[in-house]
């Protein structure tokens, strides 16, 4: 209150009366600039890391590996993982990836950890135990759960798995995706393979990335059968006939054409194909018999070339372009925004800082964001649109309610005051700007404007009663400070359990609640000082605009002064008496009846 009086006071400088609430405006601008700089230093992410006591690992062996080799490798991995502390169980599923892709050289390893202790008593003890003075007075609560966070155990697991050769092992999140994923698109297979190799080599040495691996462009050995068109045409053998002979011999006929045996009221298909030893022998495949148009039988080698080569294991397309994905996990303490920016710096460089790209992609290849990085970009763009739309709707409603165009801007200008509180809170807990934090910022829009509305509305109300504008602002701060502080304390206290991360899924709610608490505290303190100064400045601007446009618009028509209540009541009583007298005279004339002389005179 004394600060408001000081800032609204008038000081004489060489005969000029300088309003010091403009100094408050300059201080507010400085606070907002510092707050924005602090907010820009906070990294961005899509979702905060959650400790779900479960780690999903995707394992991939080299091309050509058999199911028995996959089983031996995964059993060795399980034995290594079981030696780590706080591991409850390890589940291995061979022949398929965690996302459901079936392949004999793939496997899914799920590591189940001991549960965390999410009790409120433990969280309160840990929080208040860190306070400088009261920390020693708080009783200690025993932690009955796992004391080591999940990301630390993940790092130890992959560090120990380095001793197992010829595997690609990387962690997948609960949505079956890598922490960081990019799509590589190209027009042909050669450019795609070259781009993947260059990017994988460049990203593997980055400290912000871990377990870099690509999918979709890895070649594997295969038997390539190329028909000789001239010989096949001379003998009357078609490419479809060659493909059918090879398919039936190696993997068997289609299900509809298979013979079936009835067993226990079931029909079981019987698939007939060459054994594994024959399928791996190139000479025996080349000796497969093919019937010509004349009915003669010739070997496959007579109409086609049989050779061992390499080809893509999986062909994926996006918008009719060949597509491969390259992904990485994030080490402990690295956020998605920092890792994404580093990958873009590797590929595109930074022209503003004269940093050239570290990787030269082939002409037809290009890099696009995918997974959480793509969703994060869409999230921030949508959040900006939602903020602009919310501010426009809020401004429209307040203009209608206050019947003024300028004073609602006083309320909107108080919104940036909460940015500093959000930034400080996120920096203190070492959290990133993620989806729950953006939700909390949207909540702050209503909380901060509520405080400013209470001040401005009360100032406008008592000014209508004849108060001077400075006295009205001081009175508004005096009357509205208590409800503003009470509601802010109540909301902050109510969000404290969420900020501590109590209960399952608390890691998702904690950044949102912490950001809201920080924004409430800082905006409440600053609003009580800066909003009154904004109100006076907007009032000065309103007077200036009225003076500037008064000559163009013209003077306002003077309205008759409203009489006092007593005088108005006296006038109403006299008018009622006159009306009653006239009514009585009319009734008397009607009772006597009309006379001819009177009618003639009229």
């Amino acid at each position: 209150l004394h600060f408001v009086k000081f800032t609204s006071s008038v000081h004489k400088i060489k005969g000029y009366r300088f309003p010091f609430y403009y100094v408050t405006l300059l201080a507010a601008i400085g606070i907002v600039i510092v707050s924005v700089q602090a907010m820009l230093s906070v990294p961005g992410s899509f979702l905060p890391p959650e400790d779900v006591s479960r780690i999903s690992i995707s394992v991939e062996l080299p091309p050509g590996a058999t199911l028995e080799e996959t089983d031996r490798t995964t059993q060795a991995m399980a034995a290594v993982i079981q030696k780590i502390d706080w591991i409850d169980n390890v589940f291995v599923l061979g022949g398929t990836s965690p996302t459901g892709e079936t392949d004999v050289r793939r496997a899914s390893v799920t590591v189940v950890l001991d549960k965390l202790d999410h009790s409120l008593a433990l969280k309160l003890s840990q929080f208040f135990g860190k306070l400088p003075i009261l920390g020693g007075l708080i009783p200690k609560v025993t932690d009955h759960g796992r004391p080591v966070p999940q990301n630390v155990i993940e790092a130890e697991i992959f560090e120990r798995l380095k001793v197992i050769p010829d595997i690609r092992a990387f962690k997948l999140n609960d949505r079956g995706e890598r922490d960081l994923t990019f799509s590589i698109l190209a027009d042909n297979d050669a450019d795609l393979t070259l781009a993947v190799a260059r990017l994988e080599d460049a990203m593997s040495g980055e400290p912000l990335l871990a377990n870099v691996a690509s999918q979709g462009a890895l070649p594997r050995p295969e038997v390539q059968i190329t028909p000789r068109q001239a010989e096949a045409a001379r003998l009357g053998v078609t490419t479809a006939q060659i493909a059918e002979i090879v398919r039936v011999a190696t993997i068997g006929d289609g299900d509809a054409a298979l013979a079936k045996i009835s067993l226990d009221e079931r029909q079981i298909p019987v698939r007939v194909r060459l054994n594994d030893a024959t399928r791996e022998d190139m000479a025996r495949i080349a000796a497969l018999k093919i019937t010509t148009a004349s009915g003669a039988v010739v070997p496959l080698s007579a109409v086609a070339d049989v050779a061992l080569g390499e080809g893509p294991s999986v062909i994926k397309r996006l918008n009719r372009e060949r597509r491969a994905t390259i992904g990485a996990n994030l080490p402990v303490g690295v956020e998605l925004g920092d890792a994404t920016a580093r990958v873009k710096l590797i590929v595109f460089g930074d022209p503003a800082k004269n940093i050239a790209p570290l990787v030269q992609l082939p002409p037809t290849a290009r890099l696009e964001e995918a997974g959480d990085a793509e969703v994060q970009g869409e999230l921030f763009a949508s959040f900006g649109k939602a903020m602009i739309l919310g501010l426009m709707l809020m401004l429209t409603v307040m203009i209608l309610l206050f019947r003024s165009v300028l004073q609602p801007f006083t309320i909107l200008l108080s919104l940036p005051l909460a940015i500093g509180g959000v930034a400080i809170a996120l920096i203190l807990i070492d959290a990133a700007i993620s989806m729950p934090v953006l939700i909390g910022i949207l909540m702050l829009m209503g909380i901060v404007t509520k405080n400013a509305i209470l001040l401005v509305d009360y100032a406008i109300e008592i000014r209508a009663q004849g108060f001077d504008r400075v006295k009205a602002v001081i009175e508004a701060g005096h009357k509205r400070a208590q409800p503003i502080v009470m509601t802010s304390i109540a909301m902050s206290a109510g969000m404290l359990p969420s900020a501590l991360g109590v209960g399952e899924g608390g890691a998702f709610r904690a950044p949102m609640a912490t950001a809201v608490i920080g924004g409430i505290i800082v905006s409440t303190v600053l609003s009580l000082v800066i909003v009154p100064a904004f109100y006076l400045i907007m009032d000065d601007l309103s007077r200036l605009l009225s003076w500037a446009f008064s000559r163009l618009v013209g003077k306002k028509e003077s309205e008759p002064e409203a009489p006092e209540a007593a005088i108005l009541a006296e006038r109403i009583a006299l008018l009622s008496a006159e009306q009653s007298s006239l009514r009585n005279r009319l009734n008397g004339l009607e009772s006597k009846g009309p006379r001819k002389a009177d009618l003639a005179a009229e």
Side-chain angles (χ1 to χ4, degrees):
L1 182 61
H2 291 292
F3 186 81
V4 174
K5 290 181 179 179
F6 170 74
T7 55
S8 61
S9 64
V10 177
H11 184 69
K12 293 183 179 179
I13 302 178
K14 295 181 180 181
Y16 176 73
R17 301 172 65 86
F18 180 76
F20 266 88
Y21 47 79
Y22 284 95
V23 178
T24 307
L25 175 62
L26 297 177
I29 294 174
I31 292 173
V32 172
I33 292 174
V34 174
S35 301
V36 172
Q37 291 293 332
M39 199 69 174
L40 293 177
S41 66
V42 180
S45 182
F46 173 50
L47 292 175
E50 293 191 65
D51 194 322
V52 295
S53 301
R54 184 181 64 255
I55 304 172
S56 181
I57 303 175
S58 177
V59 182
E60 183 180 1
L61 271 68
T66 62
L67 186 60
E68 290 76 13
E69 294 174 346
T70 304
D71 181 62
R72 287 195 302 268
T73 302
T74 52
Q75 292 301 326
M77 293 176 58
V80 171
I81 295 174
Q82 286 283 11
K83 298 178 182 179
I84 302 175
D85 295 333
W86 313 110
I87 300 294
D88 183 35
N89 199 358
V90 179
F91 176 74
V92 178
L93 181 62
T96 180
S97 67
T99 56
E101 298 180 5
T102 57
D103 195 339
V104 294
R105 60 187 185 90
R106 293 180 178 270
S108 174
V109 179
T110 304
V111 182
V112 181
L113 310 179
D114 294 334
K115 295 292 184 180
L116 292 173
D117 189 353
H118 294 287
S119 62
L120 178 60
L122 177 63
K123 298 294 184 180
L124 291 175
S125 175
Q126 293 175 348
F127 175 75
F128 289 105
K130 298 177 181 179
L131 298 179
I133 300 175
L134 301 177
L137 304 177
I138 303 299
K140 302 297 181 181
V141 179
T142 305
D143 188 353
H144 297 286
R146 169 170 46 86
V148 181
Q150 177 175 319
N151 53 7
V152 176
I153 297 179
E154 290 174 359
E156 185 176 358
I157 287 175
F158 288 103
E159 184 65 28
R160 296 197 180 189
L161 289 180
K162 290 181 180 179
V163 300
I164 300 178
D166 298 333
I167 64 167
R168 278 185 175 181
F170 47 85
K171 185 202 73 172
L172 299 179
N173 54 28
D174 293 338
R175 300 177 298 280
E177 299 176 352
R178 305 291 303 275
D179 294 338
L180 178 69
T181 307
F182 279 87
S183 294
I184 307 172
L185 305 175
D187 293 341
N188 53 75
D189 180 59
D191 288 350
L192 182 66
T193 304
L194 182 59
V196 170
R198 290 180 178 178
L199 278 175
E200 194 167 354
D201 291 340
M203 294 171 59
S204 297
E206 289 296 327
L208 298 182
L209 306 174
N211 303 322
V212 178
S214 61
Q215 290 182 332
L218 184 65
R220 66 176 180 180
E222 62 184 12
V223 177
Q224 297 178 350
I225 301 174
T226 307
R228 294 198 294 270
Q229 300 293 338
E231 291 294 327
R234 185 178 65 83
L235 296 175
V237 177
T238 63
T239 55
Q241 188 178 357
I242 297 174
E244 183 179 3
I245 292 295
V246 175
R247 176 176 56 82
V248 173
T250 53
I251 64 175
D253 206 347
D255 292 341
L258 293 178
K260 297 178 177 59
I261 181 174
S262 298
L263 182 64
D264 296 334
E265 299 181 355
R266 293 183 301 165
Q267 286 189 339
I268 302 175
V270 179
R271 187 179 299 275
V272 180
R273 63 174 178 82
L274 298 176
N275 56 25
D276 294 339
T278 304
R279 295 170 63 193
E280 296 175 359
D281 191 345
M282 298 287 296
R284 294 189 178 184
I285 294 178
L288 291 175
K289 304 302 182 180
I290 296 181
T291 305
T292 63
S294 61
V297 177
V298 297
L300 177 61
S301 58
V303 293
D305 296 326
V306 182
L308 186 63
E310 287 186 348
S313 56
V314 178
I315 296 178
K316 296 182 178 180
R317 296 184 184 274
L318 179 64
N319 295 332
R320 304 178 69 178
E321 290 182 298
R322 294 288 298 272
R323 174 178 180 263
T325 59
I326 184 167
N329 294 124
L330 301 180
V332 179
V334 177
E335 299 296 341
L336 178 62
D338 295 338
T340 303
R342 183 57 186 171
V343 174
K344 291 182 178 179
L345 186 64
I346 293 174
V347 178
F348 305 111
D350 191 351
K353 299 180 180 180
N354 294 325
I355 300 177
L358 302 179
V359 175
Q360 189 67 33
L361 295 179
T364 64
R366 56 190 177 90
L367 189 72
E368 286 187 357
E369 294 179 350
D372 288 352
E374 181 183 8
V375 178
Q376 179 189 357
E378 297 175 354
L379 174 67
F380 281 94
S382 301
F383 173 75
K385 296 176 182 178
M387 285 287 292
I388 294 174
L389 181 60
L391 293 176
M392 295 296 293
L393 293 175
M394 188 185 304
L395 180 62
T396 303
V397 172
M398 287 191 296
I399 289 175
L400 295 176
L401 294 179
F402 286 108
R403 298 180 181 179
S404 173
V405 177
L406 293 179
Q407 287 302 339
F409 283 96
T410 304
I411 300 171
L412 293 185
L413 290 175
S414 65
L415 290 176
L417 301 178
I419 296 177
V422 175
I424 293 173
L426 295 178
I427 292 173
L428 289 177
I429 66 172
D430 194 20
I433 302 176
S434 55
M435 182 174 67
V437 174
L438 297 181
I439 296 174
I441 293 176
L442 287 175
M443 295 171 57
L444 277 175
M445 289 178 58
I447 299 171
V448 176
T449 52
K450 178 263 301 180
N451 297 339
I453 287 173
L454 288 175
L455 292 171
V456 174
D457 181 65
Y458 192 79
I460 294 175
E461 181 181 348
I462 60 177
R463 280 194 69 182
Q465 300 177 6
F467 276 73
D468 178 70
R469 62 174 192 161
V470 175
K471 293 182 179 179
V473 168
I474 295 174
E475 186 67 17
H478 179 72
K479 296 294 186 182
R480 296 303 192 192
Q482 184 176 1
I484 288 174
V485 173
M486 288 175 59
T487 54
S488 299
I489 293 176
M491 294 190 67
S492 300
M495 290 190 175
L496 184 59
S498 296
L500 295 176
V502 178
E504 297 288 344
F508 180 86
R509 302 186 298 268
M512 175 182 63
T514 304
V516 172
I517 291 174
I520 288 175
I521 294 174
V522 174
S523 64
T524 299
V525 175
L526 295 179
S527 295
L528 294 174
V529 177
I530 296 176
V531 170
F534 281 173
Y535 176 80
L536 296 176
I537 293 171
M538 285 298 172
D539 190 68
D540 290 345
L541 181 61
S542 176
R543 294 182 179 184
L544 177 62
L545 294 177
S546 298
W547 174 82
F549 291 100
S550 60
R551 300 178 181 180
L552 300 176
V553 178
K555 294 183 179 180
K556 183 179 179 181
E557 295 182 359
S558 58
E559 297 181 0
E561 194 173 327
E564 297 182 358
I567 299 175
L568 184 62
E570 184 179 354
R571 292 178 180 177
I572 293 175
L574 291 174
L575 183 62
S576 299
E578 292 178 0
Q579 290 178 351
S580 177
S581 176
L582 290 174
R583 192 177 294 106
N584 292 333
R585 291 176 61 186
L586 290 173
N587 292 335
L589 292 174
E590 290 177 356
S591 62
K592 293 180 180 180
R595 291 179 298 179
K596 293 183 179 180
D598 295 338
L599 294 174
E602 292 178 1

